[in-house]
Amino acid sequence: QVQLVESGGGLVQPGGSLRLSCAASGSIFSVNTMGWYRQAPGKRRELVAVSTSDGSTNYADSVKGRSTISRDNAKNTVYLQMNSLKPEDTAVYYCNAWIRGTAISIRQEYWGQGTQVTVSS
């Protein structure tokens, strides 16, 4: 089976920075698109950033210019560097990936368990 595990969340003051990590593990043939979503209390889950296997990226307007998504394909890991954090960035951040496992020939969508990011003084 395939699993996504996030790490790097925590408490940070406004204006601070965090780097989130998400590693895919298990019976993996290939990892394609990887991205980050977030969900704040009382709000819908929203896309934060996404990275394709060839390096193309896209960002939500709310984080554009403050965040950078990157990946280490050799480690099947995606990162989200977040700078100039604001209280409204507070949310549970979820890793998302489309992965082809060794058991089947099609790509399937996977989600991590989430990591809490709290921006507060």
Side-chain angles (χ1 to χ4, degrees):
Q1 285 73 30
V2 174
Q3 185 179 18
L4 300 180
V5 179
E6 304 104 328
S7 62
L11 176 64
V12 63
Q13 294 184 351
S17 299
L18 283 175
R19 190 180 77 153
L20 307 182
S21 299
C22 172
S25 62
S27 302
I28 297 172
F29 181 82
S30 64
V31 178
N32 299 103
T33 301
M34 302 188 79
W36 291 93
Y37 291 73
R38 68 185 181 187
Q39 187 167 21
K43 296 184 178 181
R44 298 176 180 177
R45 187 172 299 184
E46 64 177 355
L47 175 70
V48 178
V50 63
S51 174
T52 65
S53 59
D54 64 358
S56 297
T57 60
N58 192 31
Y59 298 89
D61 289 340
S62 59
V63 304
K64 194 172 299 182
R66 300 187 294 121
S67 300
T68 302
I69 187 169
S70 61
R71 59 196 292 171
D72 185 339
N73 290 328
K75 297 181 179 180
N76 291 328
T77 299
V78 65
Y79 307 93
L80 182 66
Q81 177 69 43
M82 302 185 68
N83 304 318
S84 301
L85 285 163
K86 306 174 181 179
E88 50 263 44
D89 293 318
T90 296
V92 177
Y93 285 70
Y94 296 92
C95 181
N96 171 267
W98 287 85
I99 298 172
R100 178 184 173 184
T102 57
I104 58 175
S105 62
I106 63 172
R107 290 179 289 179
Q108 293 182 306
E109 187 178 25
Y110 294 87
W111 291 91
Q113 82 287 351
T115 184
Q116 177 71 47
V117 171
T118 302
V119 184
S120 176
S121 60

